Amino acid sequence: MEAAVLHTLGKPPRFEQFPDPVAGEGEVLVKVLAAALNPSTKAVAGGGHFASSENLPAVVGLDGAGLLEDGSRVFFGGPRKPYGSFAQTTVVPVHLAWPVPEGVDDLTAAALPNPALSSWIPLEHSAKLQAGETVLVLGATGESGRLAIQIAKHLGAGRVVAAGRNQAVLDTLGELGADATVSLNGTQEEITEAFVAAGGDTGYDVILDYVWGKPTEALLAAISRKDFHLQSSGPRLLQIGESAGATIELAAGTVRSAGLTIVGGGFPPPKVFLDMFNRLLAGAAAGEIKIDTQAVPLADIEEAWQSEDKSKRLVIVP
Ligand SMILES: NC(=O)c1ccc[n+]([C@@H]2O[C@H](COP(=O)([O-])OP(=O)(O)OC[C@H]3O[C@@H](n4cnc5c(N)ncnc54)[C@H](OP(=O)(O)O)[C@@H]3O)[C@@H](O)[C@H]2O)c1
């Protein structure tokens, strides 16, 4: 079969032939329709991710949309190594393939779940978002952040504040539901002031953090300031990504004075997850949650891999 095959960690995969997978006990074969080029896919292939493997060559791609042998269309995850989703066929555990409803196109089915669930699960499962609460999306200009704005509103947030670097994208986030924006350009002091100003009278109840590093330090400086009104329950910060840095400096006083809770990861039980997944795709089918995608032929994987375009999610089509 044709596949995107990784030979060296940190180098782009190559379009070439790879042996067909054979399903074992508890597995299903999937004819891949589309698979999104997510940052996590590149991070795993880069070698620094906890899921990276030294066992090469291997097909890249962590998830996608495809057809099972009975013709049903699914979103799937967890291909068995050395197989991946950037190929004509892959093999996955039977419990990691979920039906996709009509009304959701193949590119959306492949591209939406990973970045969208990165906010949906933390908002509902970890932060237990309450109707009317204020959500800050830190890293709102990326694909996951743009979805997080829509999903926070979809799940009942009263106010959404969007923080990011790219001013041209920041200027468009009102169309997705952002009520205010914070520019991450400037000195640390300027960014802290901007977080204080955008927090208004209520502060931030839930923070979805895709960036970590210096922008998070500027935010923490804001929420620990005496003149910054804090919700009595304290803000819940959900750690999701690290686009701006892998570490932060965190003063003990910040955690205490702000009543801050920092939560990472957390996965709901399978039935709860499936309910979230179904509601997400129903929202997409209804046109309420949108992701911009661009189809790329599998043969063009090397060029797509090195693309810096963040305006839409590239989706590989075998
Ligand atoms: N844990 C999970 O399940 C999960 C799921 C999805 C994503 N993530 C992680 O979340 C992060 C963002 O994902 P994504 O899908 O939104 O990626 P993306 O579409 O590639 O966007 C990257 C984002 O990171 C921002 N960024 C990059 N470097 C930055 C810096 N030095 N300072 C501030 N912002 C910076 C970009 O801001 P500008 O465009 O404004 O420059 C943009 O908002 C990644 O680390 C990804 O691995 C985790």
Side-chain angles (χ1 to χ4, degrees):
M1 67 172 175
E2 293 172 347
V5 182
L6 187 72
H7 290 268
T8 309
L9 290 173
K11 293 266 171 44
R14 298 203 297 253
F15 174 67
E16 57 190 36
Q17 292 293 317
F18 200 80
D20 286 319
V22 176
E25 178 98 22
E27 293 180 330
V28 280
L29 287 178
V30 185
K31 179 178 179 299
V32 181
L33 295 168
L37 186 42
N38 297 319
S40 46
T41 304
K42 291 174 81 168
V44 169
H49 195 274
F50 64 84
S52 300
S53 166
E54 301 279 339
N55 267 345
L56 300 176
V59 180
V60 297
L62 306 173
D63 55 24
L67 296 176
L68 299 183
E69 284 173 296
D70 66 4
S72 57
R73 199 165 60 121
V74 296
F75 173 78
F76 63 88
R80 167 163 51 83
K81 290 173 183 169
Y83 302 101
S85 56
F86 290 20
Q88 290 178 305
T89 310
T90 194
V91 59
V92 303
V94 68
H95 66 279
L96 294 185
W98 302 280
V100 172
E102 283 182 28
V104 179
D105 63 79
D106 292 344
L107 299 189
T108 300
L112 186 67
N114 175 305
L117 291 168
S118 80
S119 55
W120 194 303
I121 293 173
L123 281 170
E124 268 199 346
H125 179 66
S126 308
K128 311 243 179 303
L129 178 74
Q130 302 298 305
E133 286 193 314
T134 298
V135 174
L136 168 65
V137 181
L138 189 43
T141 45
E143 201 61 69
S144 300
R146 295 199 296 272
L147 281 163
I149 296 166
Q150 302 173 58
I151 288 165
K153 278 286 168 81
H154 189 77
L155 296 178
R159 189 161 178 268
V160 176
V161 178
R165 281 188 314 188
N166 185 324
Q167 191 59 46
V169 178
L170 272 181
D171 291 342
T172 66
L173 297 182
E175 295 159 27
L176 297 179
D179 299 288
T181 59
V182 170
S183 168
L184 296 181
N185 301 307
T187 64
Q188 283 295 92
E189 291 72 25
E190 286 166 344
I191 299 169
T192 295
E193 286 301 332
F195 278 126
V196 170
D201 294 334
T202 57
Y204 306 113
D205 299 299
V206 177
I207 299 153
L208 295 168
D209 188 347
Y210 289 94
V211 299
W212 209 237
K214 289 288 171 195
T216 299
E217 290 182 1
L219 167 69
L220 295 180
I223 66 175
S224 57
R225 251 169 54 170
K226 284 198 176 70
D227 60 341
F228 190 69
H229 178 89
L230 296 171
Q231 296 294 92
S232 55
S233 57
R236 293 100 83 196
L237 186 152
L238 289 313
Q239 208 312 301
I240 304 168
E242 49 183 79
S243 293
T247 60
I248 60 165
E249 195 167 297
L250 177 61
T254 299
V255 182
R256 288 200 305 274
S257 63
L260 177 68
T261 304
I262 300 180
V263 184
F267 208 76
K271 271 192 185 158
V272 178
F273 170 80
L274 187 59
D275 175 59
M276 289 179 186
F277 176 83
N278 287 338
R279 284 186 287 135
L280 169 66
L281 291 197
E288 290 162 13
I289 299 168
K290 296 186 182 125
I291 182 167
D292 285 334
T293 56
Q294 183 185 327
V296 177
L298 180 59
D300 295 343
I301 183 62
E302 277 193 60
E303 194 184 332
W305 194 264
Q306 292 165 86
S307 167
E308 295 293 327
D309 183 4
K310 301 261 190 295
S311 62
K312 17 182 144 45
R313 185 73 12 125
L314 302 184
V315 183
I316 307 300
V317 179

